Amino acid sequence: MAALVLFGGGGDLAIRMLLPSLYFLDHDGLLPEGLKIIAAARSEESREAYLGRVRESIVKRADGAWSEDSFARVAARIDYVAVDATSVEGLAALQNKLGDDRELTYFLAVSPSLYGPIVRALKGAGLTGAKTRIVLEKPVGRDLDSFRHIDAEVAHAFDERQVFRIDHYLGKETVQNLIALRFGNTIFEPLWNNLSIDHVQITVGETVGVGDRWPYYDEYGALRDMLQNHMLQLLCLVAMEPPSDLDPDSVRNEKVKVLRSLRAITAANVRDVSVRGQYVAGQAEGGPVKGYEEERGAPSDIDTYVALRADIDNWRWAGVPFYMRTGKRLPEKRTEIVIQFKPLPHSIFDQRGEVTANRMVIELQPEEDISLTVMNKRPGLDQRMQLQPIRMSLSWGMDGKGAEPPRRRIAYERLLLDAMAGDSTLFVRADEAEKAWEWVDGVSSAWAEAEYKPHIYRAGSWGPEAAQQLLARDGRTWNTDDA
């Protein structure tokens, strides 16, 4: 029999994301038959009380997918056990729950500082082996050295094919659609290069502040928290060469090649190609909010906003800048990739309406959509043909036939299924994580060497003015500036 063990099973990630994901999978008949789900945490709590918390969380997310029968079915799979997972003795209660089950998937929804101790305890208790897998929630480390240290500890009990480093952005339907769009159509791939594309923008904007998470954020900042994993993963999927097939290593080999091709950012150019920011008091989420230093209660030079220009030194992307930005307390919760195509080399429609370059926008949040802006004739009998840009959606259900789009899934649903099935295509390989950390460490070191302190920006704005200038120097603007 198979079992999924959620370490940190009483925490926010498990209650808010993982257990609802498992409910939906069970509701849709996708969980393996007989799968046990064991939530393991330090707190003493009865199974009934735990299931009450799980039920409350699922009801908030389920909408039309709520079913008493479905909840009863998934609840029958769930057990709760209080353990100290960092010691062999502390795992005795978990061993009793598992019984003879040895096809095990462990999900570590805990602090990365506990990864090593938990893995050592699992191995010491005889709970590892060829049929076990382990899922590591990001961030794995805070720099290259700490990543290597954690990874070495994990490698004592699990080989690479058993390790699943999760980035939930890769579970999003639209991210996977990007792969289908690029490599499943002959229309786009011939244009996916520096001959046709002017630049690429990747934005991850959040309206929330750091709040009481400041102890974590003061150590990581926006660069390490968001750009090292989510944003570099999106960049790799946009920029990678066509893999030979969809074998996990074929896809991940191509992503590693992109990371190896990223031009290093140094102290000599860091002020020209990057912007650090930190929010001060302003208006956000419908009311006045504090600045980061007020939330922290002391001065800090950590970045709550990062924008930078990345260049990929290979034949496909030479001369095409990839602009990335992420920040807290921005005006919108927005995650998007903008593929900006080059303008027409010569327009025959001079003064006949607005002629704009084609643009593809891949939206991940708040809604998921892929759209393409193209030029079209303005309707009418005007003898002088007038043009206008129109936005065409390439998403499910937008074919004019009234098809209902599928339920928007939690990204963890796909990733949980893949991890339990041993499919690592959408997970991050060790050398991939190493290269991402290596590049990000270079940016951080350049900031330190150049003594580059954060610019301030008002909460509720799109970041420091320097971020607009980052693109303006190249004659370009952020997508939000055009809106």
Side-chain angles (χ1 to χ4, degrees), residues 129-156:
K131 291 186 177 181
T132 58
R133 303 183 183 96
I134 188 165
V135 183
L136 304 179
E137 180 67 30
K138 75 96 181 173
V140 181
R142 70 169 303 277
D143 55 22
L144 182 58
D145 286 344
S146 58
F147 168 78
R148 284 175 171 164
H149 176 73
I150 292 171
D151 203 54
E153 290 193 291
V154 173
H156 283 307

Side-chain angles (χ1 to χ4, degrees), residues 397-411:
M398 302 300 289
D399 58 1
K401 298 178 181 177
E404 280 293 322
R407 174 180 63 81
R408 184 177 177 183
R409 293 190 178 277
I410 303 172

Side-chain angles (χ1 to χ4, degrees), residues 346-364:
H346 171 70
S347 174
I348 64 173
F349 301 102
D350 188 37
Q351 298 180 352
R352 294 187 180 220
E354 180 186 1
V355 179
T356 59
N358 303 125
R359 172 180 289 183
M360 179 181 290
V361 179
I362 301 153
E363 299 177 57
L364 281 69

